[in-house]
Amino acid sequence: MPYQQQSQPKLRHALLSPESLPPHHQQSLSHRPCHVSDEDSGTEVAEGADEWAQSKATVRPPDQLELTDVELKEEFTRILTANNPHAPQNIVRYSFKEGTYKLIGFVDQLAVHFSQVGNLIPKDSDEGRRQRYRDNLVTGSEESAKLVISEAEVVEEEDEPKEAENIALSLPFRSKLMTPKQPKERKLTNKFNFSERASQTFNNPLRDRECQMEPPPRTNFSATANQWEIYDAYVEELEKQEKTKEKEKAKTPVAKKMGKMAMRKMTSMESQSDDITKVTQAAKIVERMVNQNTYDDVAQDFKYYEDAADEYRDQEGTLLPLWKFQNDKAKRLAVTALCWNPKYNDLFAVGHGSYDFMKQSRGMLLLYSMKNPSFPEYIFSSESGIMCLDMHVDHPYLVVVGHYDGNVAIYNLKKPHSQPSFRSSAKSGKHTDPVWQVKWQKDDMDNNLNFFSVSSDGRIVSWTLVKSELVHTDVIKLKVEGSTTESLEGLQLHTVGCGTAFDFHKEIDYMFLVGTEEGKIYKCSKSYSSQFLDTYDAHNMAVDAVSWNPYHTKVFMSCSSDWTVKIWDHTIKTPMFIYDLNSAVGDVAWAPYSSTVFAAVTTNGKTHVFDLSINKYEAICNQPVVAKKKNKITHVQFNPIHPIIIVGDDRGHVTCLKLSPNLRKMPKEKKGQEVQKGPAVEIAKLDKLLNLVREVKTKI
Amino acid sequence: TNEWTNERPGGRPTPSAPRPHRSVGRGEAQAEVEETLKRIQTHKGVIGTMVVNAEGIPIRTTLDNSTTVQYAGLLHQLTMKARSTVRDIDPQNDLTFLRIRSKKHEIMVAPDKEYLLIVIQNPCE
């Protein structure tokens, strides 16, 4: 029953004032005219009244309402009504009809304290009947005994529809229990008053667990994708593929091991190689550039300068000095051999040694490039002076040298050491005298490298490189003719001739010429070891050089310290041309571009260039080439391509000279006729000259 | 090519080396390179040399620090550009060297796979 409660502030305050209430009267407060007291204050007063009164003096708030005793004792009546104290009493509604607010007289006083939606349905309603029907179906398919029970129970349950709420729910539940073997019955959901039951488990408190690692090291990577980068990548890939192919091919276990070892060595080398070694190539290039700058005028001269004064010089030519090559290490050593590289036209080899019998010291092999005149490309040193050298045509990295002590050695320019790759020794048949000339031959039938050497000990030896060893074969022993003497026991002794120079015929492979110290030239054949094909009484002193003409197969030339240069036809015993040069001739060389041009160098420091087609009797160029006196020129060589010659002297310097145009004249074009080029022309040219000479001779 | 005729071929002789590179032992190679660099430095007219790595950081130099750093940075960029140009035109081609001739001197740059060698020379002395 709703009741009204009026607040009693007066009462409370009255309680607080100690004057009005003696302590022992506290308990009689319940008898006061107010029927209803605030429960809280009542309990307070009832229970803790004594304590409260005794412990403290009552505090009187300053704004307490002052009441007299009479007023305090006044009675107030209370009436319990059935009105809802919370209902509003003055609801006004706007009436559109009248246009004003009107007070509603009747206000609903109903207060709902509790409401709950139930799930009981009347038996006779539609839904109830439907459910009953369904239940009957379900229960009807049971076994007879259970049927009875279930029916009874169902009936019972049906009779008590208004009991506790869980009956309706437990209906299907129970029927389930009772009918375990029945098919699962459809759960009926009440569409009108469906309430879902759920339960909530305890939610486990969530906790964040985090773990942080060290961030992975990051680097910035940037690259460009150009066409050439892509190309590079492809090329690399290709190389890798090829390498794997090669490895597959060489698949013997030994080879594999070797490969692995090599790979390991390679990788270890690479990983260990210092930074600065990678700059080698660049350093070389830069050195050349720097030199080019310094010798810029020389380089330009070399390439472009043609002496215009030659037109006025009638027929003479000059030699323009270009570079001068020298090295400190070879300062005291004379140039004993010069050779141009057949493949690289700017590379030439210089052999250093000494011609002096008394002062024999070490030897050096230097290879210079014209691109870098200040320092040699390769340096090799040896104990004994180098007397001669030759470069292989097919393998331009192989250089064979002959030493003063009779040894021969092969240097491989590709190998790192400054030691020769192969060397002869006393056991392997070295010469007993200085080796004066060596020359590569064609590979023999087993594709072994093969070269010849000639020495003053009278032997001409053929060396073959068989499985990294030098094997020698004596080809010929030079005998001085007419010197065989019968000794007492009947042995034929003969004086051994000393070979000083030789040259092989360009076309007739087996034929070669040997010059000796006695001044004779022998024409020999590789196949005949005892007999010479021919002998020429060439000179009065040792023959210094013999050389076949590069074009004409019959003509050769020889020079000697008897101041003469002689040109021969090998079929005729007497020389075709004889030139007297007023000084011992150190070397002669045919020009590679013409059959009639050759150069000779003498010990007085002069270089003579002859062109037989222009002047048969005199040199067209006669020029001192080396600066100081007493500087003998020892060797001369023509460059196969460029119009330059190199000249070596006995101070260890090599001078490079350019031939002026007059010295390299080509046959002039006749009007209407084409200029014929080629060896045939050269041969014809020389033939003509020879014929002239022969005619003269025959006349004589 | 036969150059005995009096024709004038175009272009100066190039200093690039097509020869097979000689493989030497590590210590020997190092000594060789050091010697070469020394020779370059003492050559007539050479003002300075420096070796710069692939990132443009100078590794070795004969000039003072500030100049070196300046040269290295600028020439590195220029060389990369030049190389890129050459290769863009023909990917099979590659830059061999770069020469910059100015009024006062000539700067020569020889690029390598990982390094750059720069030489400053006064050619006409």
Side-chain angles (χ1 to χ4, degrees):
Chain A
M1 293 278 279
Y3 56 91
Q4 282 185 333
Q5 184 185 355
Q6 288 176 352
S7 57
Q8 304 281 328
K10 273 195 217 173
L11 184 61
R12 238 188 237 147
H13 287 152
L15 284 171
L16 284 169
S17 60
E19 297 108 51
S20 54
L21 291 168
H24 63 275
H25 280 287
Q26 298 289 330
Q27 292 171 1
S28 63
L29 273 172
S30 51
H31 300 298
R32 286 194 141 241
C34 59
H35 297 282
V36 179
S37 62
D38 193 4
E39 277 185 14
D40 284 350
S41 57
T43 50
E44 252 178 13
V45 168
E47 290 168 9
D50 286 330
E51 277 179 36
W52 171 73
Q54 282 162 16
S55 59
K56 293 183 201 170
T58 53
V59 177
R60 215 176 154 182
D63 57 344
Q64 195 183 47
L65 190 64
E66 295 284 341
L67 292 172
T68 58
D69 272 349
V70 177
E71 279 183 334
L72 284 173
K73 285 182 184 167
E74 213 182 304
E75 283 199 14
F76 289 91
T77 54
R78 294 232 178 157
I79 308 162
L80 289 176
T81 59
N83 286 338
N84 183 2
H86 296 298
Q89 288 156 343
N90 49 356
I91 293 181
V92 283
R93 287 263 152 78
Y94 186 77
S95 162
F96 286 93
K97 194 174 161 192
E98 286 157 43
T100 57
Y101 285 97
K102 278 183 79 176
L103 190 70
I104 294 174
F106 178 73
V107 178
D108 190 16
Q109 299 290 325
L110 183 69
V112 178
H113 291 281
F114 175 75
S115 76
Q116 187 183 17
V117 178
N119 46 14
L120 301 175
I121 43 175
K123 248 201 291 189
D124 296 331
S125 67
D126 284 339
E127 183 61 33
R129 262 187 253 128
R130 256 185 264 147
Q131 280 190 11
R132 253 197 298 165
Y133 175 70
R134 248 181 267 136
D135 289 337
N136 288 337
L137 278 178
V138 167
T139 53
S141 58
E142 271 186 351
E143 290 170 2
S144 55
K146 282 188 184 170
L147 194 88
V148 171
I149 301 165
S150 60
E151 264 187 359
E153 285 200 350
V154 165
V155 166
E156 275 176 357
E157 284 166 5
E158 276 184 10
D159 286 340
E160 308 160 332
K162 288 176 186 173
E163 274 195 12
E165 302 152 356
N166 51 6
I167 285 177
L169 277 177
S170 63
L171 177 66
F173 181 62
R174 273 201 203 168
S175 53
K176 259 194 189 169
L177 284 176
M178 290 182 313
T179 64
K181 289 185 184 174
Q182 275 197 345
K184 196 179 174 184
E185 62 175 21
R186 278 168 30 213
K187 251 195 189 163
L188 299 169
T189 51
N190 187 345
K191 291 192 178 125
F192 299 100
N193 291 325
F194 179 74
S195 67
E196 190 165 317
R197 293 247 162 157
S199 67
Q200 186 165 22
T201 56
F202 278 116
N203 283 339
N204 290 329
L206 291 175
R207 208 164 265 197
D208 269 335
R209 284 252 159 198
E210 281 173 26
C211 167
Q212 186 167 17
M213 314 175 305
E214 246 184 64
R218 283 180 292 176
T219 50
N220 277 335
F221 175 78
S222 65
T224 48
N226 285 330
Q227 196 187 357
W228 49 271
E229 295 230 357
I230 298 168
Y231 173 80
D232 272 349
Y234 273 116
V235 165
E236 234 183 83
E237 191 60 42
L238 201 69
E239 275 173 21
K240 269 188 198 169
Q241 279 180 14
E242 273 173 25
K243 266 188 188 172
T244 49
K245 269 187 201 169
E246 276 176 25
K247 279 183 190 171
E248 281 173 19
K249 274 183 191 171
K251 245 188 179 175
T252 61
V254 179
K256 258 188 184 170
K257 272 188 192 170
M258 290 284 288
K260 276 184 191 167
M261 285 291 287
M263 274 296 290
R264 262 184 249 140
K265 270 186 187 170
M266 271 281 287
T267 48
S268 65
M269 278 258 306
E270 281 171 19
S271 59
Q272 286 171 19
S273 71
D274 201 357
D275 293 334
I276 206 70
T277 51
K278 290 180 187 165
V279 199
T280 352
Q281 193 72 358
K284 260 198 177 147
I285 293 175
V286 170
E287 199 185 351
R288 288 182 179 194
M289 284 160 73
V290 163
N291 273 305
Q292 189 178 32
N293 275 341
T294 320
Y295 299 110
D296 183 38
D297 46 351
V298 175
Q300 299 277 0
D301 282 347
F302 156 73
K303 199 75 174 178
Y304 302 122
Y305 180 75
E306 305 295 350
D307 199 351
D310 265 11
E311 289 173 34
Y312 309 107
R313 250 190 230 132
D314 201 19
Q315 271 166 357
E316 287 177 356
T318 51
L319 296 168
L320 178 72
L322 294 172
W323 300 286
K324 195 166 181 192
F325 301 89
Q326 59 197 5
N327 189 276
D328 280 343
K329 290 182 191 168
K331 234 182 190 169
R332 300 290 165 75
L333 302 171
V335 171
T336 54
L338 290 172
C339 184
W340 285 99
N341 190 301
K343 188 169 178 198
Y344 297 106
N345 298 316
D346 58 293
L347 185 69
F348 62 92
V350 182
H352 289 274
S354 175
Y355 282 121
D356 201 339
F357 175 71
M358 303 303 286
K359 294 182 199 171
Q360 277 301 314
S361 62
R362 58 198 173 84
M364 294 208 70
L365 174 65
L366 303 173
L367 281 104
Y368 286 96
S369 161
M370 292 193 313
K371 295 175 184 173
N372 183 354
S374 55
F375 200 75
E377 301 284 309
Y378 302 94
I379 303 179
F380 300 97
S381 60
S382 63
E383 289 165 354
S384 167
I386 292 176
M387 304 310 291
C388 54
L389 65 91
D390 193 29
M391 289 198 185
H392 202 287
V393 173
D394 296 325
H395 309 280
Y397 50 88
L398 291 175
V399 180
V400 63
V401 297
H403 291 286
Y404 197 88
D405 61 358
N407 272 315
V408 291
I410 299 177
Y411 286 90
N412 189 333
L413 296 179
K414 284 188 185 173
K415 293 276 170 67
H417 335 282
S418 68
Q419 291 310 307
S421 325
F422 311 104
R423 218 162 176 268
S424 69
S425 61
K427 274 191 236 168
S428 60
K430 74 174 187 77
H431 291 278
T432 48
D433 263 350
V435 180
W436 290 104
Q437 194 132 16
V438 282
K439 264 229 159 58
W440 282 108
Q441 298 300 304
K442 289 185 198 156
D443 288 355
D444 66 0
M445 287 185 289
D446 299 326
N447 285 336
N448 291 322
L449 298 168
N450 183 17
F451 66 91
F452 273 61
S453 67
V454 67
S455 158
S456 321
D457 65 354
R459 288 161 56 215
I460 296 175
V461 181
S462 157
W463 302 84
T464 318
L465 198 66
V466 178
K467 288 185 189 175
S468 78
E469 265 196 21
L470 280 175
V471 176
H472 83 285
T473 338
D474 275 11
V475 174
I476 285 185
K477 267 216 165 77
L478 298 170
K479 287 174 284 185
V480 175
E481 276 192 18
S483 64
T484 52
T485 53
E486 292 254 351
S487 76
L488 296 168
E489 282 99 22
L491 277 173
Q492 283 198 330
L493 295 169
H494 43 255
T495 329
V496 170
C498 309
T500 51
F502 68 176
D503 194 17
F504 289 82
H505 198 276
K506 304 260 179 326
E507 279 158 38
I508 307 171
D509 205 23
Y510 59 83
M511 191 158 75
F512 64 96
L513 298 164
V514 184
T516 61
E517 247 183 56
E518 299 83 41
K520 289 203 183 8
I521 296 178
Y522 301 112
K523 186 165 71 178
C524 316
S525 162
K526 286 185 195 174
S527 21
Y528 295 107
S529 62
S530 51
Q531 280 234 338
F532 307 127
L533 294 174
D534 212 345
T535 317
Y536 308 90
D537 285 326
H539 294 275
N540 301 323
M541 288 181 73
V543 176
D544 280 332
V546 282
S547 176
W548 286 101
N549 189 300
Y551 292 98
H552 205 290
T553 50
K554 285 189 179 176
V555 175
F556 70 90
M557 176 166 64
S558 69
C559 75
S560 157
S561 321
D562 67 355
W563 297 6
T564 56
V565 174
K566 295 186 182 176
I567 297 177
W568 310 74
D569 181 335
H570 75 97
T571 49
I572 304 175
K573 290 258 185 176
T574 50
M576 301 273 106
F577 299 94
I578 304 176
Y579 299 97
D580 191 332
L581 298 176
N582 287 330
S583 178
V585 183
D587 198 10
V588 277
W590 287 104
Y593 53 86
S594 167
S595 61
T596 52
V597 177
F598 64 92
V601 285
T602 55
T603 46
N604 61 356
K606 279 195 180 179
T607 307
H608 309 259
V609 180
F610 290 81
D611 189 344
L612 297 173
S613 57
I614 296 176
N615 191 334
K616 284 202 290 285
Y617 307 107
E618 275 184 350
I620 50 173
C621 171
N622 195 333
Q623 185 172 326
V625 168
V626 282
K628 294 184 183 169
K629 288 184 186 175
K630 290 191 185 173
N631 202 345
K632 305 170 197 162
I633 309 180
T634 49
H635 282 276
V636 67
Q637 280 287 322
F638 277 85
N639 185 308
I641 304 286
H642 304 290
I644 51 178
I645 56 171
I646 41 170
V647 168
D649 61 19
D650 71 346
R651 291 279 167 91
H653 305 152
V654 176
T655 318
C656 181
L657 304 146
K658 184 164 184 181
L659 299 159
S660 69
N662 270 346
L663 300 176
R664 30 189 178 98
K665 265 198 181 154
M666 293 289 127
K668 275 190 185 166
E669 301 169 24
K670 286 186 186 170
K671 282 185 188 175
Q673 272 187 2
E674 280 179 18
V675 176
Q676 291 168 351
K677 295 198 175 171
V681 177
E682 305 290 339
I683 295 172
K685 207 169 45 161
L686 195 56
D687 254 345
K688 216 170 47 170
L689 290 165
L690 291 174
N691 286 334
L692 284 171
V693 180
R694 272 186 225 130
E695 280 171 18
V696 168
K697 287 217 163 146
T698 49
K699 277 182 192 170
I700 293 169
Chain B
T1 55
N2 194 344
E3 294 191 25
W4 290 109
T5 54
N6 296 354
E7 292 159 19
R8 188 178 260 250
R12 290 164 77 190
T14 53
S16 44
R19 263 188 279 292
H21 189 63
R22 203 168 140 205
S23 52
V24 292
R26 184 172 67 88
E28 250 186 75
Q30 218 175 334
E32 251 191 68
V33 175
E34 299 277 352
E35 218 189 286
T36 311
L37 289 175
K38 201 172 77 170
R39 277 204 308 275
I40 295 172
Q41 181 54 33
T42 52
H43 198 91
K44 194 175 93 160
V46 171
I47 300 169
T49 54
M50 59 190 94
V51 179
V52 177
N53 79 346
E55 286 144 27
I57 299 166
I59 289 170
R60 181 193 274 246
T61 175
T62 57
L63 300 167
D64 59 279
N65 204 19
S66 53
T67 321
T68 304
V69 167
Q70 198 179 22
Y71 267 104
L74 295 167
L75 285 170
H76 179 256
Q77 289 175 36
L78 185 63
T79 313
M80 289 301 125
K81 189 72 184 172
R83 178 183 253 162
S84 183
T85 310
V86 167
R87 297 210 74 192
D88 272 343
I89 293 169
D90 178 9
Q92 290 180 326
N93 207 351
D94 195 7
L95 183 68
T96 348
F97 61 87
L98 193 62
R99 269 187 199 239
I100 304 163
R101 201 163 203 160
S102 70
K103 282 190 205 165
K104 294 191 183 174
H105 44 242
E106 181 162 341
I107 303 168
M108 289 170 277
V109 181
D112 199 50
K113 263 194 178 172
E114 295 176 21
Y115 295 93
L116 214 64
L117 183 55
I118 302 169
V119 172
I120 305 152
Q121 188 190 20
N122 195 347
C124 23
E125 250 184 26

